[in-house]
Amino acid sequence: MDFDFSAILLALTVLFGVVWGLDRLFLYKKRKAHFEEAGEEYRDPAAVDWARSLFPVIFVVLLLRSFVAEPFRIPSGSMMPTLDVGDFILVNKFAYGLRLPAFNNKFVSLGEPKRGDVVVFRFPGFLCQDDSGKIVRSGDVTCADPNASIPGQNWIKRIVGLPGDTIEVRDSQIFINGKPVVDTLIGPFKGNPARPEDNELLYYNASIWSEQLGSVNHLIARMPSRGPTPPIPNNRVPSVVPPNCYIVMGDDRENSEDSRWWGCLPEQNLVGKAFMIWFSWKGWGTGGVDFHRIGSVIH
């Protein structure tokens, strides 16, 4: 089952608010008068007392998570070496506009994503063709069931293509509007063989490159020997990025299930822009707390 913390916070805020509000409107005065007549010290019923105490706390947390910043944990290595498994990051929730909590509908626009931004988004699903020939989004990667429900998961990738761009990807080489993205070899990947995510990069002799996407210079990992990745354009991704859509890719180029597999990212699925690592845990016996990464700005 997918865990939607924003939806739970919203539901609790509404529940506690309704309980407290209805009590104050219809029951509070009569109950207080009863206590005064009996000469007893006034006290709220347990349910009302809990609602009154917790409502402002949960409401403030909901506002902060929905409109200011939200924490996320990196669960996979698809964004290595920029983001490592066990990194805890903060995501700017107002970078691209204000959205309703849980529903994610934008009601105030504050900016647009830029090439090179690292973004968190709701996974849109795989592009499949249903029985009528219509292209739909499905939760089934094989498209055997085009009506499969899409898991409510938050993913993180880097924006490569903007609406209107002409994109071409050949293995790990990206061409934007006919020009190759500039990248420079730094050297072989060096990691801890005891960590599964590091061991895979070491096994396939990964190399680390510096890549320039717009104004953003960042690191990527390449593992050509791991196997080919889908090119762009393909049957899911046209050469020209559609309006209100973005091409996103992971920085671990051969180990990232991204737009090359499931198409462009709809603008409505954006959650926010990742901007800082606030904690990093590499596991017991394989590094523990990585103090060097704490406080790092995400580029």
Side-chain angles (χ1 to χ4, degrees):
M1 180 180 294
D2 297 304
F3 183 76
D4 192 334
F5 192 59
S6 294
I8 293 173
L9 279 176
L10 179 61
L12 289 176
T13 300
V14 172
L15 174 64
F16 291 149
V18 167
V19 169
W20 186 25
L22 290 179
D23 178 77
R24 284 302 184 263
L25 285 174
F26 301 109
L27 302 175
Y28 170 71
K29 290 184 179 179
K30 184 182 293 186
R31 186 172 60 249
K32 185 176 181 181
H34 175 75
F35 273 90
E36 289 176 349
E37 290 177 3
E40 299 177 5
E41 182 181 357
Y42 174 80
R43 61 183 182 276
D44 283 324
V48 175
D49 187 50
W50 275 95
R52 176 180 57 81
S53 301
L54 293 177
F55 171 76
V57 176
I58 295 178
F59 182 61
V60 169
V61 172
L62 178 66
L63 289 179
L64 291 175
R65 284 178 57 98
S66 300
F67 305 126
V68 181
E70 184 173 0
F72 289 92
R73 180 184 180 275
I74 302 300
S76 74
S78 70
M79 282 297 292
M80 292 177 68
T82 303
L83 296 173
D84 203 351
V85 177
D87 283 347
F88 292 78
I89 65 171
L90 287 176
V91 174
N92 183 337
K93 299 299 290 288
F94 59 86
Y96 309 130
L98 301 181
R99 297 176 184 269
L100 293 174
F103 299 99
N104 211 44
N105 300 102
K106 184 191 289 188
F107 62 92
V108 176
S109 182
L110 298 175
E112 299 296 331
K114 296 180 177 61
R115 198 186 320 280
D117 285 359
V118 176
V119 296
V120 170
F121 56 92
R122 293 188 175 190
F123 176 55
F126 300 95
L127 287 174
C128 300
Q129 193 175 59
D130 64 14
D131 296 335
S132 66
K134 181 182 178 182
I135 299 299
V136 297
R137 293 280 187 175
S138 170
D140 182 6
V141 64
T142 68
C143 289
D145 181 7
N147 299 311
S149 60
I150 301 171
Q153 299 172 337
N154 288 311
W155 287 27
I156 185 166
K157 305 292 178 188
R158 187 180 299 276
I159 290 182
V160 174
L162 303 174
D165 281 344
T166 298
I167 297 290
E168 184 180 356
V169 178
R170 306 171 192 164
D171 293 324
S172 291
Q173 182 62 62
I174 303 170
F175 297 81
I176 300 176
N177 299 323
K179 298 180 179 180
V181 171
V182 176
D183 48 30
T184 306
L185 176 63
I186 293 178
F189 171 79
K190 298 177 181 179
N192 183 352
R195 300 183 73 227
E197 47 276 359
D198 285 10
N199 188 55
E200 181 178 34
L201 289 162
L202 292 168
Y203 179 81
Y204 287 106
N205 298 313
S207 55
I208 302 300
W209 296 66
S210 173
E211 181 179 79
Q212 188 75 37
L213 273 177
S215 62
V216 178
N217 185 274
H218 65 103
L219 299 179
I220 63 170
R222 289 180 174 175
M223 296 183 287
S225 61
R226 190 177 188 269
T229 55
I232 293 178
N234 59 46
N235 60 353
R236 291 185 174 91
V237 189
S239 57
V240 178
V241 185
N244 299 313
C245 235
Y246 301 89
I247 299 300
V248 296
M249 296 174 66
D251 288 348
D252 189 351
R253 290 292 157 78
E254 277 72 37
N255 184 31
S256 173
E257 194 172 78
D258 47 41
S259 285
R260 292 169 288 180
W261 276 263
W262 44 259
C264 69
L265 167 66
E267 189 277 338
Q268 65 190 32
N269 287 60
L270 286 170
V271 171
K273 178 182 178 182
F275 69 94
M276 190 182 76
I277 299 171
W278 64 271
F279 187 71
S280 184
W281 172 254
K282 289 193 171 180
W284 294 107
T286 54
V289 178
D290 190 342
F291 291 98
H292 292 92
R293 297 181 67 82
I294 295 176
S296 299
V297 176
I298 298 171
H299 296 291

